[in-house]
Structures are given as C-alpha cells and as structure tokens.
C-alpha cells in the first residue's frame, strides 16, 4: 500500500514534505489519497490528505491531462 499518505508524519528539517505539499496545493495542485492506504495505517483523512475511493481515483485519472504519483 502506498506510503505517500504518510507525508504529514515523515517531514524532517532536510525534507519538509508538509511545506512541499502546501506549496504544491497553493500553486493549484491537488492531493488525493487512497482510502485503503489511510485506513490501513489507522489514520483519518484531512484537508491536506483527503480520503478517496478507487472510483474517485479512476475518474481523476480518466479526466486528467497529467497525473503524478509517488
């Protein structure tokens, strides 16, 4: 399962994942998180890491010109 949903918990001084995500979102980027990945880690969705379903993910990819994953 994807570790990208942990970006709020793995931020360090050298690699500030929270600041990078905030900058990405402020420039118009959107973050979508796999609900299964979040629930597997006993976490809840947040504004910075919203829970989405596989149908949501499919629709996003289908409608997008570009998709970046990590």
């Amino acid at each position: 399962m994807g570790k990208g949903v942990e970006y709020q918990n793995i931020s360090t001084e050298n690699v500030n994942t929270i600041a990078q995500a905030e900058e990405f979102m402020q420039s118009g980027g959107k973050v979508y998180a796999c609900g299964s990945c979040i629930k597997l880690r006993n976490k809840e969705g947040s504004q910075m890491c919203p829970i989405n379903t596989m149908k949501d993910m499919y629709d996003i990819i289908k409608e997008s010109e570009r998709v970046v994953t990590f």
Side-chain angles (χ1 to χ4, degrees), residues 43-67:
K43 303 284 183 189
E44 294 184 14
S46 67
Q47 187 174 11
M48 288 185 72
C49 198
I51 292 177
N52 290 272
T53 65
M54 287 302 264
K55 182 181 179 333
D56 295 330
M57 299 295 196
Y58 173 78
D59 290 341
I60 293 162
I61 292 168
K62 184 174 81 172
E63 296 170 7
S64 295
E65 184 177 318
R66 294 185 189 115
V67 177

Side-chain angles (χ1 to χ4, degrees), residues 3-63:
K3 292 183 180 181
V5 298
E6 297 179 32
Y7 81 90
Q8 292 175 289
N9 300 324
I10 61 171
S11 194
T12 66
E13 188 175 319
N14 292 333
V15 181
N16 189 335
T17 56
I18 295 172
Q20 290 174 355
E22 287 174 344
E23 183 178 340
F24 172 73
M25 288 184 271
Q26 287 174 358
S27 67
K30 296 180 182 178
V31 174
Y32 298 94
C34 168
S36 297
C37 296
I38 291 176
K39 291 174 185 173
L40 179 71
R41 290 167 174 78
N42 296 318
K43 303 284 183 189
E44 294 184 14
S46 67
Q47 187 174 11
M48 288 185 72
C49 198
I51 292 177
N52 290 272
T53 65
M54 287 302 264
K55 182 181 179 333
D56 295 330
M57 299 295 196
Y58 173 78
D59 290 341
I60 293 162
I61 292 168
K62 184 174 81 172
E63 296 170 7

